[in-house]
Amino acid sequence: MSQYTKNSPLGDGELLPDPIAQLAAWLDDAKEAGMIEPTAMALGTSVDGQPSVRIVLFKGFVGQDLSFYTNYEGRKGRELAANPRCAATFWWDRLERQVRIEGAVEKLPESLSREYFYRRPRESQIGALTSRQSAVVASREELDRRWEENAQRHAGAEVPFPSFWGGYRLVPASLEFWQGRRGRLHDRLRYTRSGANEWRIERLEP
Ligand SMILES: Cc1cc2nc3c(=O)[nH]c(=O)nc-3n(C[C@H](O)[C@H](O)[C@H](O)COP(=O)(O)O)c2cc1C
């Protein structure tokens, strides 16, 4: 276990009053730190008491909420349909920082999903159209064959927008900012929503 010495202490009252502005600032720091996927977050869903977790890429704020994109019919999509309450965690090793978020998702309007879909490389568009995310497939060959079929079918034309694909906004109810400190007495500051745009900040023991 390493000693965490990178950061200057996170004093009481040092974080911004708005956790979204604070998260945006830490994301900027993470992007500048040259990490491979600074926007990667672990997304936890839960149905019938069985949690499941996977990495997705944070794709920007929609108002005060965090957006990400996926297949609505894969495992996470089905789980979020059954239980929209979920949790997400960023970990930036180079910065010795973690942010934990809890809340619930809502689907983004299709217009926003379309906009994002058509900004992605064409190969990814065909991939999203082709993949039945989380379904069992007989072989890699079958997957590649279906991708090729779609690429040929739509050659020279716009890739059709897959109705089963799109974004979510994660509406945070609480966010916890963690920063490594020497001697295991790490800083933990938690924001809990106390009104529409009001947040209570509390320090937690490490
Ligand atoms: C760095 C990284 C980024 C990823 N980004 C996404 C993403 O933005 N959206 C997505 O659906 N899957 C993404 N994945 C794949 C997911 O982790 C996961 O395999 C997939 O979404 C299926 O999850 P599910 O079966 O729980 O639905 C990413 C994986 C990694 C390792």
Side-chain angles (χ1 to χ4, degrees):
M1 294 252 267
S2 46
Q3 281 288 350
Y4 295 130
T5 54
K6 280 198 179 18
N7 295 299
S8 53
L10 209 53
D12 296 333
E14 220 160 286
L15 291 182
L16 300 170
D18 173 9
I20 302 307
Q22 185 62 51
L23 176 56
W26 277 21
L27 277 160
D28 284 346
D29 291 346
K31 287 173 191 162
E32 274 170 28
M35 297 192 330
I36 299 173
E37 294 287 12
T39 60
M41 58 182 190
L43 174 75
T45 53
S46 170
V47 172
D48 296 334
Q50 173 60 62
S52 69
V53 184
R54 78 290 289 151
I55 302 289
V56 295
L57 295 182
F58 162 76
K59 286 292 172 184
F61 293 102
V62 175
Q64 295 285 98
D65 307 329
L66 289 83
S67 71
F68 60 92
Y69 290 85
T70 191
N71 185 310
Y72 288 139
E73 295 176 359
R75 179 171 176 185
K76 85 179 82 46
R78 282 181 276 117
E79 293 191 356
L80 288 169
N83 176 14
R85 291 166 72 176
C86 61
T89 301
F90 292 97
W91 159 238
W92 298 294
D93 60 347
R94 290 198 173 177
L95 300 174
E96 301 169 355
R97 284 175 175 168
Q98 167 182 248
V99 176
R100 298 168 64 175
I101 300 152
E102 290 173 23
V105 290
E106 294 167 13
K107 279 186 180 175
L108 287 177
E110 192 184 296
S111 57
L112 278 187
S113 296
R114 275 179 184 272
E115 209 175 276
Y116 174 65
F117 182 80
Y118 288 111
R119 281 208 310 273
R120 303 171 85 209
R122 190 179 171 84
E123 284 204 343
S124 309
Q125 295 173 17
I126 296 169
L129 181 67
T130 303
S131 174
R132 304 175 192 141
Q133 193 173 60
S134 318
V136 174
V137 61
S139 64
R140 178 77 215 188
E141 284 67 35
E142 184 192 321
L143 201 52
D144 290 341
R145 181 180 50 70
R146 292 210 327 261
W147 190 94
E148 276 302 331
E149 278 171 11
N150 272 327
Q152 282 175 18
R153 187 173 303 139
H154 306 294
E158 190 175 84
V159 177
F161 177 74
S163 57
F164 51 81
W165 187 94
Y168 290 97
R169 62 200 294 166
L170 167 50
V171 184
S174 69
L175 303 92
E176 180 198 313
F177 291 75
W178 181 104
Q179 199 170 260
R181 286 279 289 274
R182 205 178 270 279
R184 292 283 164 287
L185 285 186
H186 312 302
D187 286 317
R188 295 179 66 188
L189 290 157
R190 182 180 62 195
Y191 295 71
T192 311
R193 205 184 275 278
S194 58
N197 267 321
E198 284 168 33
W199 299 87
R200 181 175 71 243
I201 306 182
E202 295 162 307
R203 179 176 290 274
L204 304 180
E205 301 215 9

